[in-house]
Amino acid sequence: MPKLDKFDIAILNCLQEDARATNVEIAERVNLSPSPCLRRIRNLEKSGLLRGYRADIDRKEAGLGLTVFVELKVGHHSKENSEAQQAALLAIPEIVSCHLISGAADFLAEVVVEDLAAYEKVMSEKLLTLPGVSDLRSNFAIRSIKTNGVLKLPQPI
């Protein structure tokens, strides 16, 4: 991981607020000239810290009105089973985030779909057919309060 200074943090914060900002706009906001600013952005990309840029799409306006948090429990724990499970979860496009967790479940997946009928199809045709799943619990979001929040980055020393 690269050591971040105040300029790197400021650049990342600018990009989190507006990933479409031009290099000149970012440079002005962080008090750098455009060339060093662009060099820093490229270095952040090369290091893997800055993984990409994407649009923040309103789920409801896009016709994706249902968010479900699914707890998945795996019956038999082994490295091979875990890797197979993770690969299978990554292959399901309706899963927008997924975490290996501790507690009663092994994985927590966020599923975004059109409606209850679409979730039933994902559940029965994809989630319940995953390798080694012994239990599945669905928690339906009543309303989304905050999604895709920006990261509060640590301040440089």
Short mmCIF file of all heavy atoms in Angstrom, two decimals, residues 72-77 81-82 84-85 88 106-107 127-135:
data_model
loop_
_atom_site.label_atom_id
_atom_site.label_comp_id
_atom_site.label_asym_id
_atom_site.label_seq_id
_atom_site.Cartn_x
_atom_site.Cartn_y
_atom_site.Cartn_z
N LEU A 72 -25.78 -16.46 4.17
CA LEU A 72 -25.60 -17.81 3.66
C LEU A 72 -24.69 -18.59 4.61
O LEU A 72 -23.63 -18.10 5.00
CB LEU A 72 -24.93 -17.78 2.28
CG LEU A 72 -25.74 -17.07 1.19
CD1 LEU A 72 -24.85 -16.54 0.12
CD2 LEU A 72 -26.75 -18.03 0.62
N LYS A 73 -25.14 -19.76 4.99
CA LYS A 73 -24.34 -20.64 5.83
C LYS A 73 -23.90 -21.82 4.98
O LYS A 73 -24.69 -22.40 4.24
CB LYS A 73 -25.14 -21.12 7.03
CG LYS A 73 -24.34 -22.01 7.97
CD LYS A 73 -24.80 -21.84 9.38
CE LYS A 73 -23.99 -22.67 10.33
NZ LYS A 73 -22.60 -22.28 10.44
N VAL A 74 -22.63 -22.16 5.11
CA VAL A 74 -22.06 -23.27 4.36
C VAL A 74 -21.98 -24.47 5.28
O VAL A 74 -21.59 -24.35 6.44
CB VAL A 74 -20.66 -22.90 3.82
CG1 VAL A 74 -20.03 -24.05 3.08
CG2 VAL A 74 -20.75 -21.67 2.92
N GLY A 75 -22.35 -25.64 4.77
CA GLY A 75 -22.40 -26.85 5.58
C GLY A 75 -21.05 -27.43 5.95
O GLY A 75 -20.82 -27.81 7.08
N HIS A 76 -20.14 -27.48 5.02
CA HIS A 76 -18.84 -28.10 5.26
C HIS A 76 -17.75 -27.07 4.98
O HIS A 76 -17.66 -26.55 3.87
CB HIS A 76 -18.66 -29.32 4.36
CG HIS A 76 -17.33 -29.99 4.50
ND1 HIS A 76 -16.97 -30.67 5.64
CD2 HIS A 76 -16.28 -30.05 3.66
CE1 HIS A 76 -15.73 -31.12 5.48
NE2 HIS A 76 -15.30 -30.76 4.28
N HIS A 77 -16.93 -26.77 5.98
CA HIS A 77 -15.88 -25.77 5.84
C HIS A 77 -14.57 -26.39 5.40
O HIS A 77 -14.06 -27.31 6.02
CB HIS A 77 -15.68 -25.03 7.16
CG HIS A 77 -16.85 -24.19 7.54
ND1 HIS A 77 -17.01 -22.91 7.08
CD2 HIS A 77 -17.92 -24.45 8.32
CE1 HIS A 77 -18.13 -22.41 7.56
NE2 HIS A 77 -18.71 -23.33 8.31
N ASN A 81 -14.03 -25.59 -0.53
CA ASN A 81 -15.45 -25.20 -0.51
C ASN A 81 -15.60 -23.69 -0.46
O ASN A 81 -16.47 -23.12 -1.12
CB ASN A 81 -16.17 -25.83 0.67
CG ASN A 81 -16.43 -27.30 0.47
OD1 ASN A 81 -16.26 -27.82 -0.62
ND2 ASN A 81 -16.85 -27.98 1.53
N SER A 82 -14.78 -23.04 0.35
CA SER A 82 -14.84 -21.58 0.46
C SER A 82 -14.51 -20.92 -0.87
O SER A 82 -15.20 -19.98 -1.29
CB SER A 82 -13.88 -21.09 1.55
OG SER A 82 -13.96 -19.69 1.66
N ALA A 84 -14.83 -22.26 -3.88
CA ALA A 84 -15.93 -22.56 -4.81
C ALA A 84 -17.13 -21.66 -4.52
O ALA A 84 -17.77 -21.15 -5.44
CB ALA A 84 -16.32 -24.03 -4.72
N GLN A 85 -17.43 -21.48 -3.23
CA GLN A 85 -18.54 -20.63 -2.82
C GLN A 85 -18.30 -19.19 -3.28
O GLN A 85 -19.19 -18.56 -3.84
CB GLN A 85 -18.69 -20.69 -1.30
CG GLN A 85 -19.90 -19.97 -0.77
CD GLN A 85 -21.16 -20.74 -1.02
OE1 GLN A 85 -21.18 -21.94 -0.98
NE2 GLN A 85 -22.24 -20.04 -1.29
N ALA A 88 -18.70 -18.82 -7.03
CA ALA A 88 -20.11 -18.89 -7.41
C ALA A 88 -20.85 -17.59 -7.07
O ALA A 88 -21.66 -17.11 -7.85
CB ALA A 88 -20.77 -20.08 -6.71
N ASP A 106 -21.94 -17.50 7.18
CA ASP A 106 -20.59 -17.44 6.65
C ASP A 106 -20.40 -16.30 5.64
O ASP A 106 -19.32 -15.73 5.54
CB ASP A 106 -20.23 -18.77 5.98
CG ASP A 106 -20.25 -19.91 6.97
OD1 ASP A 106 -19.53 -19.82 7.98
OD2 ASP A 106 -21.01 -20.88 6.75
N PHE A 107 -21.46 -16.00 4.89
CA PHE A 107 -21.41 -14.94 3.89
C PHE A 107 -22.62 -14.04 4.06
O PHE A 107 -23.71 -14.50 4.41
CB PHE A 107 -21.43 -15.51 2.47
CG PHE A 107 -20.22 -16.32 2.12
CD1 PHE A 107 -20.22 -17.69 2.29
CD2 PHE A 107 -19.08 -15.71 1.61
CE1 PHE A 107 -19.10 -18.45 1.97
CE2 PHE A 107 -17.96 -16.46 1.29
CZ PHE A 107 -17.97 -17.83 1.47
N LEU A 127 -29.16 -18.88 -5.64
CA LEU A 127 -28.62 -18.94 -4.28
C LEU A 127 -28.75 -20.33 -3.65
O LEU A 127 -27.82 -20.83 -3.04
CB LEU A 127 -29.29 -17.89 -3.39
CG LEU A 127 -29.06 -16.43 -3.80
CD1 LEU A 127 -29.88 -15.50 -2.93
CD2 LEU A 127 -27.59 -16.09 -3.75
N LEU A 128 -29.92 -20.94 -3.81
CA LEU A 128 -30.13 -22.25 -3.20
C LEU A 128 -29.38 -23.37 -3.93
O LEU A 128 -29.27 -24.48 -3.41
CB LEU A 128 -31.62 -22.58 -3.13
CG LEU A 128 -32.40 -21.75 -2.10
CD1 LEU A 128 -33.90 -22.02 -2.22
CD2 LEU A 128 -31.91 -22.02 -0.69
N THR A 129 -28.86 -23.08 -5.11
CA THR A 129 -28.09 -24.08 -5.85
C THR A 129 -26.59 -23.91 -5.66
O THR A 129 -25.81 -24.65 -6.26
CB THR A 129 -28.43 -24.03 -7.35
OG1 THR A 129 -28.03 -22.77 -7.87
CG2 THR A 129 -29.91 -24.26 -7.59
N LEU A 130 -26.18 -22.94 -4.85
CA LEU A 130 -24.76 -22.72 -4.61
C LEU A 130 -24.14 -23.94 -3.92
O LEU A 130 -24.81 -24.60 -3.12
CB LEU A 130 -24.54 -21.48 -3.73
CG LEU A 130 -24.82 -20.14 -4.39
CD1 LEU A 130 -24.79 -19.02 -3.37
CD2 LEU A 130 -23.82 -19.87 -5.50
N PRO A 131 -22.87 -24.21 -4.19
CA PRO A 131 -22.23 -25.39 -3.60
C PRO A 131 -22.13 -25.29 -2.08
O PRO A 131 -21.62 -24.32 -1.55
CB PRO A 131 -20.84 -25.40 -4.25
CG PRO A 131 -20.61 -24.00 -4.70
CD PRO A 131 -21.96 -23.44 -5.02
N GLY A 132 -22.66 -26.31 -1.41
CA GLY A 132 -22.48 -26.41 0.04
C GLY A 132 -23.35 -25.55 0.91
O GLY A 132 -23.18 -25.51 2.12
N VAL A 133 -24.33 -24.82 0.36
CA VAL A 133 -25.18 -23.97 1.18
C VAL A 133 -26.10 -24.84 2.04
O VAL A 133 -26.82 -25.69 1.53
CB VAL A 133 -26.02 -23.00 0.32
CG1 VAL A 133 -27.08 -22.30 1.15
CG2 VAL A 133 -25.12 -21.99 -0.34
N SER A 134 -26.06 -24.63 3.36
CA SER A 134 -26.90 -25.41 4.26
C SER A 134 -28.06 -24.59 4.82
O SER A 134 -29.04 -25.12 5.30
CB SER A 134 -26.08 -26.00 5.41
OG SER A 134 -25.56 -24.96 6.21
N ASP A 135 -27.92 -23.26 4.75
CA ASP A 135 -28.98 -22.39 5.27
C ASP A 135 -28.89 -21.04 4.58
O ASP A 135 -27.80 -20.58 4.21
CB ASP A 135 -28.83 -22.21 6.80
CG ASP A 135 -30.06 -21.57 7.43
OD1 ASP A 135 -31.16 -21.66 6.85
OD2 ASP A 135 -29.90 -20.98 8.51
#
